[in-house]
């Protein structure tokens, strides 16, 4: 991959990309297939990612993070996902879905208590928004938080919580005033050992199998009122703001998966022979490479642009909803396209579990679903373009 002319990378960018590439190739690549097969959470390599500073890349150093910019985060995550999207999911949820909301809306005390251990990789964070009856329609949540003096009592069921079985802390969204719909949602940080927080069964999944996903059930779970993020009623805005950041992570994950599959296909097409020539020299195969490469580079431009726009927003406060949604939409559909082509180019070997192609193919699908389906991204983009509320 060449650096892009419009985004000249600094030495710092190149260094974190190199560090992530080195770690991914040496430590994640050898174990990725085994953990995909067993579905076990890769605790050791996740801990190592924390030690290398990959679990809180944009967090200021005073809160235990690496103090780098959003493009640094994207470059590191891309390298991890070229090798294994499951490690990428764990890294992305920590950096964006969990940390971003606390960093942007939390008090200094909340940042010290809830970000520092997670940013330094000592503990793991998760984000609980979806419920069994409300996925895309996030405002249709039923989980309820009732104020009781200096505490809140939480009840209800959250589903599809990434890192749910292992997380130490959760950012959770609950109704505090159901009559107010989206404006009646509030956000909280809940510690994983809180009484009344119950971890549901681990979900069996098509892809990103080493990333653990579960329901989280709240049964009269009491938490201090000081764990509320922002004001009562601000929770939906917090959830959406966080998803804008999260969607840049998923766009990056999809880009990395596409690149991993593309690199493997390119090598294979230059070596595998049929009818007396390498299969890459057939025009039918060559044109697949033209389409894959063009889409990958377009996905990269959209994703890096979203990262740079987010970086600028740290000064201006402007939203980058549109940039993040376009990047996620295009990049995730690129991952599906490229992994499909890459399996086809490998033919039988692409279908075999002996190579990572079928894993890339399975892992790509989730990027079109979580943190807002492709249909939701189209809704967000079209509403923004047409000025529809
Ligand atoms: N930033 C800040 N505020 C935002 C916002 C954003 N990106 N998007 C909406 N808002 C605000 C709006 O301005 C509005 O506030 P005002 O009334 O004050 O103007 C308020 O939020 C309500 O907005 P909408 O009327 O647009 O709300 P809606 O109910 O129509 O929903 C939606 C909009 C885009 C469909 C939203 O529900 C959505 O994104 N749904 C998808 C949810 C999703 O991505 N879920 C994935 C969960 S995470 C996960 O996948 C699991 C995991 O662990 C990885």
């Amino acid at each position: 991959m060449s650096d892009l002319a419009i985004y000249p990378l600094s030495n710092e960018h190149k260094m974190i990309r190199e560090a992530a590439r080195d770690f991914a190739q040496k430590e994640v690549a050898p174990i990725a297939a085994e953990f995909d097969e067993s579905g076990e959470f890769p605790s050791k390599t996740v801990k190592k990612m924390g030690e290398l500073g990959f679990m809180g890349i944009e967090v200021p150093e005073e809160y235990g993070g690496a103090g780098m910019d959003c493009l640094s985060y994207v470059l590191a995550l891309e390298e991890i996902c070229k090798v294994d999207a499951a490690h990428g999911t764990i890294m992305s949820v920590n950096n964006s879905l969990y940390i971003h909301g606390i960093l942007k809306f939390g008090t200094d005390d909340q940042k010290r208590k809830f970000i520092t251990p997670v940013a330094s990789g000592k503990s793991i964070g998760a984000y609980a928004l979806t419920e069994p009856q409300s996925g895309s329609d996030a405002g249709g949540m039923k989980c309820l938080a009732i104020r009781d003096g200096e505490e809140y009592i939480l009840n209800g069921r959250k589903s599809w919580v990434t890192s749910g079985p292992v997380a130490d802390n959760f950012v959770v969204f609950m109704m505090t005033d159901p009559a107010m719909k989206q404006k009646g949602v509030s956000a909280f940080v809940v510690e994983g050992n809180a009484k009344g927080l119950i971890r549901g069964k681990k979900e069996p999944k098509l892809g990103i199998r080493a990333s653990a996903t579960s329901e989280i059930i709240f049964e009269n779970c009491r938490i201090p009122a000081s764990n509320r993020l922002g004001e009562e009623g601000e929770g939906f805005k917090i959830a959406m703001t966080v998803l804008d950041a999260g969607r840049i992570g998923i766009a990056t994950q999809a880009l990395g998966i596409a690149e991993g599959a593309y690199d493997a296909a390119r090598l294979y097409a230059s070596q595998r022979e049929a009818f007396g020539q390498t299969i890459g020299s057939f025009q039918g195969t060559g044109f697949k490479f033209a389409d894959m490469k063009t889409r990958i580079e377009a996905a990269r431009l959209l994703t890096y642009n979203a990262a740079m726009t987010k970086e600028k927003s740290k000064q201006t406060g402007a939203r980058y909803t549109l940039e993040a949604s376009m990047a996620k939409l295009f990049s995730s559909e690129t991952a599906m396209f490229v992994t499909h082509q890459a399996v086809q180019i490998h033919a039988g070997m692409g279908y075999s579990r002996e190579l990572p192609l079928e894993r890339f193919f399975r892992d790509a699908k989730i990027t079109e679903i979580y943190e807002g389906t492709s249909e939701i991204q189209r809704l967000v983009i079209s509403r923004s373009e047409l000025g529809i509320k």
Side-chain angles (χ1 to χ4, degrees):
M1 190 271 292
S2 56
D3 288 347
L4 296 167
I6 61 167
Y7 295 122
L9 301 182
S10 67
N11 284 339
E12 205 179 43
H13 289 136
K14 288 180 188 161
M15 271 164 61
I16 191 162
R17 184 174 67 181
E18 207 46 52
R21 183 178 298 163
D22 192 58
F23 169 73
Q25 299 292 343
K26 288 196 184 128
E27 309 219 20
V28 181
I31 60 154
E34 179 193 329
F35 279 79
D36 171 66
E37 185 75 32
S38 69
E40 202 187 311
F41 188 81
S43 308
K44 274 193 197 151
T45 35
V46 168
K47 190 162 174 284
K48 190 81 192 283
M49 287 202 289
E51 287 161 10
L52 288 166
F54 297 163
M55 295 303 252
I57 292 179
E58 291 175 77
V59 174
E61 287 172 28
E62 60 173 314
Y63 300 122
M68 299 177 90
D69 68 2
C70 186
L71 189 57
S72 304
Y73 163 57
V74 161
L75 291 165
L77 182 59
E78 185 182 343
E79 292 303 321
I80 304 290
C81 295
K82 277 186 195 173
V83 166
D84 183 38
H87 278 78
T89 301
I90 300 160
M91 179 174 161
S92 164
V93 168
N94 236 53
N95 274 277
S96 46
L97 288 193
Y98 175 79
I99 285 177
H100 185 68
I102 308 176
L103 200 55
K104 198 163 163 74
F105 298 95
T107 62
D108 188 54
D109 280 353
Q110 288 173 334
K111 289 179 198 174
R112 285 189 197 287
K113 183 167 180 197
F114 298 125
I115 291 184
T116 305
V118 175
S120 54
K122 293 193 181 73
S123 48
I124 290 173
Y127 173 95
L129 175 70
T130 299
E131 297 181 8
Q133 80 296 334
S134 58
S136 291
D137 181 11
M141 71 178 69
K142 289 191 177 146
C143 278
L144 202 58
I146 295 176
R147 179 95 189 216
D148 183 28
E150 282 313 297
E151 292 183 325
Y152 280 93
I153 309 169
L154 314 184
N155 275 291
R157 187 176 282 264
K158 292 287 178 186
S159 36
W160 297 110
V161 181
T162 299
S163 299
V166 293
D168 298 281
N169 291 330
F170 297 81
V171 169
V172 178
F173 300 89
M174 297 246 159
M175 281 289 180
T176 39
D177 187 353
M180 294 291 286
K181 303 206 159 115
Q182 291 97 328
K183 288 195 165 47
V185 175
S186 301
F188 304 92
V189 186
V190 185
E191 289 169 80
N193 59 5
K195 199 161 167 257
L197 183 153
I198 300 150
R199 295 169 206 256
K201 78 167 172 56
K202 203 170 132 193
E203 300 290 349
K205 305 193 298 290
L206 173 73
I208 54 161
R209 287 172 37 77
S211 136
T213 311
S214 73
E215 281 199 327
I216 297 293
I217 301 127
F218 296 90
E219 279 182 9
N220 292 323
C221 176
R222 282 180 175 270
I223 58 163
S226 57
N227 282 20
R228 194 187 65 224
L229 279 181
E231 297 300 320
E232 269 201 12
E234 255 196 321
F236 193 77
K237 197 177 87 185
I238 296 174
M240 293 298 116
T241 305
V242 168
L243 280 171
D244 287 346
R247 286 167 186 168
I248 298 175
I250 305 310
T252 306
Q253 179 180 44
L255 174 64
I257 296 170
E259 288 177 291
Y262 178 86
D263 290 346
R266 197 162 63 146
L267 185 66
Y268 191 73
S270 68
Q271 292 174 345
R272 170 77 178 182
E273 292 190 0
F275 307 102
Q277 57 193 95
T278 58
I279 60 170
S281 60
F282 290 108
Q283 200 176 51
T285 311
F287 280 10
K288 287 190 199 306
F289 281 91
D291 290 340
M292 288 191 284
K293 179 68 177 166
T294 306
R295 291 190 199 197
I296 285 172
E297 292 309 320
R300 184 195 315 288
L301 281 167
L302 283 168
T303 303
Y304 288 10
N305 182 60
M308 301 295 273
T309 313
K310 174 170 182 272
E311 195 54 35
K312 260 196 208 155
S313 89
K314 287 175 188 167
Q315 265 77 52
T316 63
R319 273 170 57 173
Y320 48 89
T321 307
L322 180 64
E323 288 80 1
S325 277
M326 291 193 301
K328 183 187 184 280
L329 173 64
F330 190 81
S331 200
S332 58
E333 293 189 350
T334 295
M336 282 306 287
F337 176 80
V338 171
T339 54
H340 180 249
Q341 299 293 340
V343 168
Q344 192 67 17
I345 288 163
H346 282 80
M349 284 315 291
Y351 201 67
S352 164
R353 289 207 161 192
E354 282 181 24
L355 292 185
L357 274 303
E358 61 83 31
R359 175 164 54 84
F360 287 136
F361 182 63
R362 286 184 286 110
D363 287 348
K365 185 60 203 168
I366 191 60
T367 65
E368 290 187 320
I369 297 173
Y370 64 6
E371 302 200 28
T373 59
S374 293
E375 289 74 14
I376 287 297
Q377 306 314 323
R378 287 190 163 87
L379 187 82
V380 170
I381 297 162
S382 60
R383 276 182 179 179
S384 161
E385 279 305 280
L386 301 171
I388 297 168
K389 186 67 187 88

